Amino acid sequence: MGGSVFAEALLERVRQARAALGVALEAEDAYSVAVAQDELDDAVRVARRHGVDVGPLKAEAEGE
């Protein structure tokens, strides 16, 4: 797997995790929020470990 393909797969994982978190938050489902947040945290961690810029997380973007 080429580097750019790998990076794109990591970015897609982050996008999907962010979307799932948004859905869980909208549904106000605490369990789903916890699971989605864990997946997002893991996806971002893996991407950053491999030098893939995922952009700021929402809390980072808001200065929290």
Side-chain angles (χ1 to χ4, degrees), residues 12-38:
E12 181 60 26
R13 182 179 174 201
V14 171
R15 283 191 287 271
Q16 289 179 359
R18 285 177 172 161
L21 180 57
V23 169
L25 288 168
E26 186 70 28
E28 298 180 1
D29 180 343
Y31 176 76
S32 293
V33 168
V35 170
Q37 183 65 61
D38 186 53

